[in-house]
Amino acid sequence: MLMFRSFVTLALAGAACAAGAQSPKAVLVAPDAYMVQGVSALGSPANRNFISNAAFVVTRAGVVVVDTLGSPALAQELLAEIRRITPAPVRYVIVTHYHADHVYGLQAFKAAGATIIAQRDGQLYLNSETAALRLQASREELAPAIDANTHLVAADRWIDAPTTISLGGVDFLLQPAGPAHTPEDLVVWVPQHKLLIAGDLVFRGRVPFVGQADSGRWIAALDKLLSFDAQVIVPGHGPVSSSARADLELTRDYLAYLRQTMGEAARNMDPFEEAYARTDWSRFDKLPLFAMANRINAYNTYLLMEQAGR
Ligand SMILES: [Zn+2]
């Protein structure tokens, strides 16, 4: 327990530095496990779309990487960070979900010879018009970090059930957890280190973007994650968590609060604006990105609850 404490303290100190910098810096979060932390912002040319986290675990038989950051150049820098720590090859890359800020770096790892694994529903995104339009828009909005050479990469192996990968004496349980944030949500549980790499099912230190997600199913997924006895969580965004349970609960409670308040408004047929204005947001309004995300989250939830009520 003491060991874990000191690892996490170290990681928190490192993560605080990484948040101010624009380059991925690996910090230790558990024995042989590292993360790089993106900045808490929307993607921009200045931050090169370095707005999400990635993690990797070093074993004696190679490295397992989870997520590959928001541009090919960032992924190259992540590879360089890995090489600084170990000469071992990257054997597997696990995709927590196919959102741009987590997968635009995949091509760098594919070129380095890694086997890419994702949940099968990621194919829905890859084959969608949304994905093509998003990439096209990113080539303009995020140039030169994203350019004509940036492309989407399919997994080498698609899974549809819980799958354990063993490498160099370390087990990785790949647990499908969608549809929640996305249909293809996949979390990685490393029991030896009580480490959970949770993708965007857990947002730490910021308000989540709910988007079109079904928050009811998301809450169910968080309850599933609470059944792992995690000591350390690497979230998709924000700093590492050594208060795993509290952070899972915060995300769950935020979603539940949206559903409760907006559900009540929808049932009473109160106009959204009025309901939004009178809702007490004081438990969440100090969190980063609250101003950017909360209103649209509430509105999407209002529509969702209105539909559910019909
Ligand atoms: Zn994300």
Side-chain angles (χ1 to χ4, degrees), residues 52 97 99 101-102 181 200 203 236-237:
S52 66
H97 64 299
H99 272 178
D101 52 328
H102 301 260
H181 181 64
D200 283 1
F203 284 72
H237 301 266

Side-chain angles (χ1 to χ4, degrees), residues 29-263:
V29 294
D32 300 318
Y34 301 80
M35 76 177 279
V36 302
Q37 186 191 333
V39 297
S40 193
L42 299 179
S44 71
N47 64 34
R48 302 183 299 149
N49 212 24
F50 184 32
I51 59 167
S52 66
N53 300 339
F56 59 95
V57 178
V58 178
T59 81
R60 58 175 191 268
V63 180
V64 175
V65 173
V66 184
D67 287 346
T68 56
L69 305 177
S71 65
L74 287 171
Q76 287 295 354
E77 291 169 27
L78 173 57
L79 258 172
E81 280 292 283
I82 295 169
R83 298 266 147 81
R84 206 169 53 75
I85 291 161
T86 174
V90 176
R91 295 285 303 279
Y92 297 105
V93 169
I94 298 153
V95 178
T96 61
H97 64 299
Y98 268 91
H99 272 178
D101 52 328
H102 301 260
V103 299
Y104 280 171
L106 276 175
Q107 64 194 65
F109 284 89
K110 177 91 179 168
T115 296
I116 298 166
I117 305 175
Q119 202 277 341
R120 187 173 303 282
D121 287 339
Q123 291 175 343
L124 300 174
Y125 180 79
L126 283 176
N127 297 326
S128 71
E129 202 184 355
T130 308
L133 291 173
R134 179 72 199 266
L135 180 55
Q136 208 170 23
S138 296
R139 283 173 177 151
E140 286 161 27
E141 290 158 14
L142 298 172
I146 305 297
D147 64 15
N149 294 319
T150 310
H151 56 269
L152 289 163
V153 177
D156 299 299
R157 195 170 149 198
W158 297 103
I159 62 169
D160 1 47
T163 302
T164 297
I165 288 174
S166 299
L167 187 69
V170 182
D171 290 341
F172 301 82
L173 171 62
L174 317 188
Q175 171 72 55
H181 181 64
T182 64
E184 69 274 18
D185 293 317
L186 190 61
V187 303
V188 182
W189 169 236
V190 188
Q192 272 113 315
H193 303 324
K194 291 186 183 278
L195 168 68
L196 180 66
I197 304 165
D200 283 1
L201 291 181
V202 185
F203 284 72
R204 178 137 197 274
R206 58 169 267 199
V207 164
F209 283 109
V210 177
Q212 304 304 312
D214 181 333
S215 47
R217 285 177 160 155
W218 192 343
I219 289 168
L222 289 168
D223 282 332
K224 193 189 283 179
L225 299 196
L226 277 161
S227 73
F228 292 127
D229 183 23
Q231 243 164 10
V232 178
I233 296 182
V234 174
H237 301 266
V240 64
S241 165
S242 57
S243 49
R245 180 156 287 270
D247 286 319
L248 287 169
E249 285 170 352
L250 178 70
T251 304
R252 183 189 63 182
D253 292 352
Y254 173 73
L255 296 173
Y257 190 65
L258 286 178
R259 291 174 67 85
Q260 179 209 317
T261 54
M262 295 301 113

